[in-house]
Amino acid sequence: MVECDKAKYGSMEIKMKNSKIQPKPKALFFDFDDTLQPFDPCSRMALERSCRAFSLPFDEQVYQQYRQLNHELWRRQKAGELSVEEVMKRRFQLFLKDYGQAQLAEDLNQRYISELSCCVSKEPGADEVLARLSRQYELFICSNGRLAEKRSRIELAGWTAYFKDLFVSDDIGFDKPDPRYFERCLQRSRYSADEVLFIGDSWTADILGARRAGLSAIWYCAHSCSEQDIVPVGDSELDSILCVKQLTELLPLLDQETVKLSGHS
């Protein structure tokens, strides 16, 4: 675990200072993709199987083409330009445009989600972390996407018993990082913002989203981030952030009687 005095990505710097000491949280909100389960291996498998089912070509170049356009759509979603549903609708429309098969977009999207629902690929240490922390805190999933897909992947991972509830955007009615998403999650969890710690990998959707909704947050920064994922913030919004590069770094941090967290007093 490190305190991020400065997180540098390309030419952009996010300055973080003045850590605060707060009591231990009562509940933990976990992001899902690229926090508990790496998304890329599952996405690759789901896309390959979906393309084969529709007799579409698939190779590394095809996957990288899809990955790039999908990433750009999700960047726009985090910026508030698109909804999650619009991302899911447009990604295969754009993907299939070069193949002259745009009419297959909805069917391919549904097949992709179905294939994704069958995939399990765990972040290192996720089993141990969830098993131990679920004995001390109530755990919740907070994710954009489809509830049925997330529930299936959690069941296949053997994690169902660890989570009190799953808060997924299609069921919640709002998307991260919309403050209303976090408000609805807090309402359903029956915890107040100062009783919850959010753990996630996305700087915009998870960390800034949670902070602006009044929650404390820890940034899981094991995966590389590009400069376009980072947005500048003022000191009034962000005093400090704790970063972990491995999930197991959460264990000694959250076992302490008091814990350094980013958040509001």
Side-chain angles (χ1 to χ4, degrees), residues 29-31 141-145 166-170 172-187 198 205-206 213:
F29 284 7
F30 277 93
D31 173 54
I141 287 291
C142 293
S143 179
N144 284 334
L166 312 181
F167 304 144
V168 185
S169 58
D170 72 327
I172 290 294
F174 300 103
D175 307 331
K176 291 187 297 181
D178 190 323
R180 293 171 295 180
Y181 171 89
F182 295 93
E183 292 169 7
R184 187 69 58 85
C185 292
L186 289 169
Q187 290 170 1
F198 196 102
D206 296 328

Side-chain angles (χ1 to χ4, degrees), residues 178-230:
D178 190 323
R180 293 171 295 180
Y181 171 89
F182 295 93
E183 292 169 7
R184 187 69 58 85
C185 292
L186 289 169
Q187 290 170 1
R188 284 183 46 173
S189 73
R190 299 188 178 181
Y191 286 102
S192 59
D194 60 2
E195 294 176 317
V196 174
L197 168 65
F198 196 102
I199 301 159
D201 73 291
S202 170
W203 176 258
T204 305
D206 296 328
I207 305 307
L208 290 187
R211 288 298 304 277
R212 288 169 177 170
L215 284 72
S216 298
I218 291 180
W219 189 18
Y220 177 56
C221 47
H223 300 279
S224 61
C225 296
S226 61
E227 185 173 319
Q228 63 182 335
D229 294 321
I230 310 297

Side-chain angles (χ1 to χ4, degrees), residues 50-115:
S50 300
C51 286
R52 302 299 185 210
F54 287 90
S55 300
L56 294 169
F58 183 87
D59 56 22
E60 183 61 24
Q61 183 177 353
V62 169
Y63 179 68
Q64 291 304 325
Q65 175 192 354
Y66 169 79
R67 189 171 181 265
Q68 183 176 358
L69 69 86
N70 189 54
H71 181 86
E72 172 60 19
L73 290 172
W74 281 108
R75 185 199 64 78
R76 293 181 62 192
Q77 184 275 324
K78 293 171 185 175
E81 299 173 12
L82 297 173
S83 69
V84 169
E85 287 302 313
E86 286 172 324
V87 170
M88 293 184 174
K89 181 178 180 180
R90 293 189 186 188
R91 60 187 176 185
F92 286 110
Q93 290 176 340
L94 294 173
F95 175 70
L96 291 168
K97 185 176 180 181
D98 291 341
Y99 301 105
Q101 300 280 354
Q103 75 278 4
L104 294 177
E106 180 57 29
D107 290 339
L108 186 61
N109 185 53
Q110 293 303 319
R111 181 60 179 255
Y112 172 83
I113 293 172
S114 177
E115 296 290 354

Side-chain angles (χ1 to χ4, degrees), residues 32-33 143-154 168:
F32 188 74
D33 288 312
S143 179
N144 284 334
R146 300 283 175 86
L147 175 61
E149 173 244 315
K150 298 297 189 291
R151 179 180 287 123
S152 174
R153 291 167 68 192
I154 287 169
V168 185

